[in-house]
Amino acid sequence: MFEQVPALPAVFADTADPLVADFYIRFLFSCLVDADVLDTQAHRWGSVPVLGSDLDASVLFDRFMKRRAEFLSQRRAEPMDPWREQLFDAAVTVADDRRGIFRMTAPTGAAKTIAAAGFALQHARKHELRRVIVAVPFITVTEQNAGVYRQLLDPAGGGIEPVVLEHHSHVEFGDPSDPLNRWRRAATENWSAPFVVTTTVQLFESLFGRKPSRMRKLHRLADSVIVLDEVQALPHRLLPQVADAIRILTEHFGATVVLSSATQPELQRLSPLRNLPSPVEITPDPKTFFAECSRVRYQWRLWPRPTLAQTVTEAVGHAQALVVVNTVKDARTAFAYARREFGDRVAVRHLSTGMCAAHRQAVLDEVKQLLKDDAPLLLISTSLVEAGVDVDFPAVFRAIAPPDAMAQAAGRCNRGKRLGEHGGLVVIFDPVDGGMPPSYKTQIETASKYFGPPETGKADPEDVDELADYFQELYRRLRVEQRGGASETIRLNRIVRDFEAVTDGPFRRGDTTRRDRELAFQMMLDDTIPVIVPYRADPAPQVIADCLRRLTGSSPDMSALRGLQPYLTTIRRATAQRPETARRLTKVAGDLHQWDGEYDDDYGMVLEPGGNGLLP
């Protein structure tokens, strides 16, 4: 009992920064929720609260270094290895620096995933930090990175608490009687694990959330190393708020944040970070490092603009080639043409979000084997292949896109530098019959000032200096800090502590029943619904049938949703509501539907029968 009400800390004074107070309230609420849940569980079980282990950075760093050395000794050497080693050594050395904000600016394929972990563990050892949190924008990369980290960090043998916790919507917890699955389920709720691998959606929507289940984990961010991988993929409209979160976490909660990217955004130019010390660059002289790591030469097909068919025809002239386009429709158009014209002499494969995750993974496994066998291959894909997918083509054709996307595509070309310096070919083309997402327009217009054919005096999309200028101008053109924009609205709602408006958006003008999601802190605004597709490869049919039975019984088992994740795709809600689409959808639970229409073995969900399955 307090004899009198304690005085509020200085952080809550009227003259203090209200945005810092906002985060203190969130973290205090997180502590309260977590303690309440743990005490309730302990009371129910007649025990003491069960807390997960903090990071033993010294033990884990030694284990990490030993296993990394073993891994490198067993793999085939590549010409890129000396630069990967250089980046790793720099990361471990710089890790002894003060806590704060760091940047790791290095090319795709330079082993940033391993270097970031080396930095994080050494930095945590130096400063006695409590955990490492790695956040990635893409679930596929999260799964991939978590697998790598488990091999390097988890204890050998069973019966010992794991180190690495993987947390995202596709994680399956499995049999609850298994102690490992019980640990995963419990640790996911409050991130009580030494090394967490998650998504940026999970991280930032928890930071700016308001529901206990989301916010219970927040206090675990204090005294942590937080690695933001592929940071260029964060949504532009929210960047000032992301920058403010980085400011507060590093200045007030003892965290260190690492911004890792091959195309580093200029977050320090935004107002929350503008007056702070510049981030410490882990990569020694990034411009020189990129030049030394150069693996590709760029060619540009901007005028006259080629057709998709002409681009496919040129790509087939290479023994193995990847063609990346901007829309699902373009991918299917190009694939249909390639299969019809060249399918008898080259393996033509397709990847897009029209396919479920299990289908995409099966195609990727086949593609990797074809690449390994040096078999004739043409892969046509949307940008999803750029999301950390480890493939290595001698030639890549990329439809014109923002520079970070073009650089990511280049990262799938001559990845290991086996073809020598500039041995890979990257062709940037502007298809006359191609499309692009609406968000690309301003980015491409801005990029055209800086990137293009060398005869125009412009740079390639991996030029570090030009990228810095591009991002600064892009932020101005997008007006990411404008009054009335998403970030500014969120900032004002944080100041007045309107937590619901921050998370769900303010009420629309003149309407107190609907909120404006575009002015909320929501990482993804696409209004889509999840759809179970009839993927036919084993064990899909049996798993889908079992999960549907569990979901639609008299006592629905919602845990079955995780089992369905590999067999889901999404479609826009407006598309789902069209009569010709709606009649082929069966509602299962909530927004989840089952697709009763056609599912093609090559390109997935067919929304327009007889129309080549093109998605609108």
Side-chain angles (χ1 to χ4, degrees):
M1 292 285 292
F2 293 111
E3 292 184 1
Q4 61 183 21
V5 177
L8 284 173
V11 71
F12 294 109
D14 292 340
T15 56
D17 183 346
L19 298 176
V20 174
D22 169 66
F23 263 45
Y24 269 92
I25 292 171
R26 293 172 183 277
F27 274 64
L28 287 168
F29 182 69
S30 172
C31 293
L32 176 64
V33 170
D34 193 32
D36 181 57
V37 172
L38 291 173
D39 282 346
T40 301
Q41 290 173 346
H43 176 74
R44 184 183 303 132
W45 298 335
S47 63
V48 296
V50 178
L51 300 175
S53 302
D54 280 344
L55 181 71
D56 189 336
S58 293
V59 169
L60 289 183
F61 182 77
D62 291 343
R63 181 187 298 169
F64 175 85
M65 294 296 286
K66 179 181 178 182
R67 291 186 183 175
R68 176 179 177 271
E70 292 171 352
F71 169 76
L72 291 176
S73 69
Q74 295 168 5
R75 66 185 284 275
R76 184 176 68 167
E78 292 185 336
M80 268 294 290
D81 287 349
W83 288 277
R84 291 166 178 159
E85 196 67 26
Q86 181 181 336
L87 179 64
F88 183 85
D89 290 345
V92 174
T93 300
V94 175
D96 286 339
D97 209 330
R98 57 170 176 79
R99 301 190 203 189
I101 305 172
F102 293 77
R103 302 204 323 173
M104 184 184 291
T105 308
T108 301
K112 292 191 293 295
T113 298
I114 302 297
F119 170 91
L121 291 169
Q122 173 60 17
H123 191 73
R125 179 165 71 166
K126 172 76 174 179
H127 297 287
E128 299 182 348
L129 301 182
R130 298 172 58 195
R131 65 186 35 79
V132 174
I133 298 165
V134 179
V136 189
F138 318 108
I139 287 178
T140 52
V141 184
T142 306
E143 294 170 332
Q144 177 179 289
N145 289 2
V148 171
Y149 292 141
R150 275 193 291 266
Q151 292 177 32
L152 294 170
L153 293 172
D154 272 355
I160 304 176
E161 187 176 284
V163 170
V164 178
L165 172 69
E166 181 180 353
H167 182 201
H168 52 78
S169 61
H170 287 192
V171 172
E172 295 184 48
F173 295 120
D175 183 358
S177 65
D178 184 336
L180 176 59
N181 290 328
R182 286 203 302 271
W183 175 83
R184 287 173 177 159
R185 187 181 296 274
T188 294
E189 293 178 357
N190 66 349
W191 284 1
S192 57
F195 201 107
V196 179
V197 185
T198 188
T199 61
T200 49
V201 171
Q202 185 67 235
L203 173 64
F204 285 108
E205 289 195 354
S206 296
L207 261 174
F208 290 90
R210 65 183 179 86
K211 295 184 178 179
S213 58
R214 274 279 197 190
M215 301 183 69
R216 184 182 164 193
K217 64 180 82 72
L218 286 196
H219 65 287
R220 304 289 183 178
L221 300 178
D223 291 328
S224 295
V225 184
I226 304 169
V227 178
L228 301 180
D229 200 3
E230 304 291 0
V231 68
Q232 81 287 343
L234 291 168
H236 295 126
R237 54 186 282 276
L238 299 177
L239 284 181
Q241 289 305 299
V242 169
D244 196 50
I246 292 170
R247 171 183 74 92
I248 296 173
L249 287 170
T250 54
E251 286 200 321
H252 296 271
F253 292 93
T256 280
V257 175
V258 181
L259 309 173
S260 178
S261 178
T263 51
Q264 193 71 245
E266 293 294 297
L267 297 188
Q268 70 275 17
R269 305 294 182 182
L270 298 172
S271 56
L273 301 178
R274 195 174 295 148
N275 296 322
L276 299 185
S278 296
V280 176
E281 180 58 69
I282 291 172
T283 310
D285 189 2
K287 191 173 182 68
T288 300
F289 190 72
F290 269 79
E292 292 174 345
C293 292
S294 180
R295 294 157 294 175
V296 304
R297 64 192 187 279
Y298 285 88
Q299 294 182 4
W300 301 76
R301 308 281 188 270
L302 305 182
W303 190 262
R305 297 172 65 190
T307 64
L308 289 169
Q310 288 171 333
T311 301
V312 166
T313 301
E314 182 181 355
V316 170
H318 297 267
Q320 296 177 320
L322 166 65
V323 177
V324 184
V325 293
N326 289 325
T327 68
V328 172
K329 180 177 180 179
D330 287 357
R332 293 189 181 180
T333 299
F335 170 75
Y337 175 80
R339 181 174 57 176
R340 183 178 70 247
E341 298 296 325
F342 307 107
D344 58 339
R345 59 187 177 91
V346 61
V348 181
R349 298 295 181 266
H350 170 278
L351 284 173
S352 82
T353 52
M355 305 154 66
C356 65
H359 191 177
R360 295 197 301 267
Q361 188 58 55
V363 171
L364 275 173
D365 290 343
E366 185 182 5
V367 164
K368 290 178 180 179
Q369 189 61 51
L370 290 166
L371 287 169
K372 184 178 179 180
D373 295 341
D374 292 323
L377 170 65
L378 177 65
L379 174 62
I380 296 171
S381 177
T382 58
S383 61
L384 68 84
V385 78
E386 298 162 356
V389 176
D390 189 4
V391 290
D392 190 351
F393 283 83
V396 171
F397 291 71
R398 191 16 166 136
I400 194 165
D404 43 326
M406 293 189 288
Q408 286 292 329
R412 317 304 135 194
C413 185
N414 194 20
R415 191 173 177 87
K417 212 173 185 177
R418 294 194 187 99
L419 301 178
E421 188 175 2
H422 307 301
L425 172 65
V426 177
V427 176
I428 307 298
F429 65 99
D430 186 7
V432 67
D433 52 345
M436 67 176 65
S439 62
Y440 274 16
K441 186 176 185 295
T442 301
Q443 296 177 68
I444 292 175
E445 287 177 355
T446 306
S448 67
K449 293 179 56 177
Y450 301 95
F451 309 103
E455 59 268 22
T456 65
K458 297 175 182 177
D460 69 50
E462 296 177 278
D463 187 288
V464 174
D465 293 337
E466 294 298 295
L467 279 166
D469 291 341
Y470 158 76
F471 278 116
Q472 290 182 68
E473 180 169 348
L474 179 66
Y475 300 157
R476 288 195 298 271
R477 293 191 63 175
L478 292 176
R479 302 173 69 191
V480 297
E481 297 189 274
Q482 72 171 327
R483 197 173 171 185
S487 276
E488 177 64 7
T489 300
I490 294 165
R491 186 184 74 86
L492 294 174
N493 283 321
R494 287 175 60 201
I495 289 173
V496 298
R497 298 173 190 171
D498 188 341
F499 300 107
E500 189 169 6
V502 169
T503 304
D504 303 330
F507 286 117
R508 296 178 183 272
R509 184 170 297 179
D511 186 347
T512 58
T513 61
R514 293 190 305 152
R515 292 183 176 271
D516 190 344
R517 294 179 67 249
E518 293 191 358
L519 298 177
F521 195 99
Q522 296 194 7
M523 298 284 283
M524 296 181 292
L525 290 176
D526 289 344
D527 192 9
T528 60
I529 64 168
V531 178
I532 309 163
V533 296
Y535 182 51
R536 287 180 280 273
D538 287 335
Q542 183 176 348
V543 172
I544 292 171
D546 177 63
C547 289
L548 286 174
R549 177 185 54 78
R550 291 161 56 195
L551 278 171
T552 56
S554 56
S555 300
D557 178 6
M558 302 311 290
S559 67
L561 290 172
R562 293 189 182 274
L564 288 171
Q565 290 291 342
Y567 313 112
L568 297 181
T569 186
T570 60
I571 59 175
R572 292 193 294 271
R573 190 179 300 275
T575 301
Q577 291 171 348
R578 295 176 184 172
E580 64 273 19
T581 306
R583 63 172 172 261
R584 287 175 284 161
L585 289 169
T586 299
K587 186 172 182 177
V588 176
D591 270 349
L592 179 65
H593 288 70
Q594 183 176 4
W595 180 244
D596 301 321
E598 183 182 351
Y599 187 86
D600 188 90
D601 291 338
D602 286 316
Y603 52 74
M605 196 173 182
V606 181
L607 285 180
E608 296 182 8
N612 194 29
L614 301 182
L615 287 175

